[in-house]
Amino acid sequence: MLSLNRRLMLLAPLALVACGFEPVYGPGGSGAALQNRVAVDPPGSQDSYLLVRELENRLGRSTDPAFALSMVINTSQAQLAIDREGDTGRFNRIANVQYSLRSLANGQILTSGKVENFVGYSATGTTVETLAGEQNSQERLMTIIADQIVSRLYAAEINV
C-alpha cells in the first residue's frame, strides 16, 4: 500500500502537465500577464472604493496599463432574525458585481462576468456596535468579491 501511494505522488506532477496545468505566476501565466497592468475604474461610492482598493492590492497599481477593469456594483441588505417587537437582530449584506476586462490597445472585451456573495452581521448590541458591524461587513464583502473577480481573471485566457 505504501509503495502505491509513493508511485501516485511521483506520477501526479506528470498528470498535471498532461492536462495543461500552468502556474498563474509562471512564465506566460495569466497572473504575470495582469500584474501591474490593469487600470481599475475609479471609485464612485464607499463600496467601489473598498473594491478598487482590494483589487489594486491583488493586481498592483499600474502606471502603464494594458487593460482596463470596469465594474457595476449592486448591494442590498436583508433583514434576518426579527423578534416579536419587530427589531432585527441580524442582517445580511449582499453584493452583485458585473465586471469586464478590456484591452486598452483595441477596446476589445477580453473577459466579463458576474460575481455575487453575502456576509452577515449582528444588530443585537448598542448602536455603535451595530454600526461597527455594518462597516466591517461592507469591508469583508468587498474583500470576498475582489478575491472572486481576481480568481476569474486569472482563470480567463488573456492573450497579451
Side-chain angles (χ1 to χ4, degrees):
M1 184 71 166
L2 182 62
S3 65
L4 179 62
N5 288 339
R6 185 176 296 147
R7 277 185 250 150
L8 183 63
M9 289 301 292
L10 291 173
L11 295 175
L14 293 175
L16 288 175
V17 170
C19 76
F21 174 77
E22 183 178 290
V24 170
Y25 291 110
S30 58
L34 294 175
Q35 193 65 36
N36 296 319
R37 301 190 68 210
V38 177
V40 183
D41 284 353
S45 67
Q46 181 67 20
D47 285 327
S48 63
Y49 166 76
L50 294 169
L51 183 56
V52 168
R53 181 184 72 186
E54 294 300 323
L55 288 167
E56 286 180 346
N57 282 341
R58 286 155 183 75
L59 297 172
R61 185 174 242 187
S62 178
T63 56
D64 185 28
F67 309 102
L69 181 63
S70 300
M71 298 166 295
V72 176
I73 304 169
N74 293 309
T75 58
S76 61
Q77 198 161 266
Q79 297 178 344
L80 306 171
I82 301 172
D83 63 15
R84 285 184 227 162
E85 288 83 34
D87 296 328
T88 304
R90 186 140 185 94
F91 290 92
N92 272 355
R93 180 181 285 275
I94 305 157
N96 297 306
V97 178
Q98 294 179 349
Y99 66 90
S100 62
L101 182 72
R102 70 183 184 283
S103 169
L104 290 176
N106 59 17
Q108 178 183 3
I109 294 179
L110 303 172
T111 186
S112 64
K114 180 180 178 181
V115 295
E116 53 190 345
N117 220 310
F118 74 96
V119 295
Y121 67 95
S122 177
T124 57
T126 66
T127 305
V128 172
E129 290 172 330
T130 301
L131 183 58
E134 182 179 5
Q135 290 172 345
N136 179 268
S137 71
Q138 184 182 29
E139 290 182 22
R140 287 184 291 127
L141 183 56
M142 291 304 120
T143 299
I144 292 168
I145 293 293
D147 286 339
Q148 287 180 300
I149 291 172
V150 170
S151 293
R152 294 213 181 160
L153 292 177
Y154 286 165
E157 292 293 322
I158 307 296
N159 296 324
V160 181

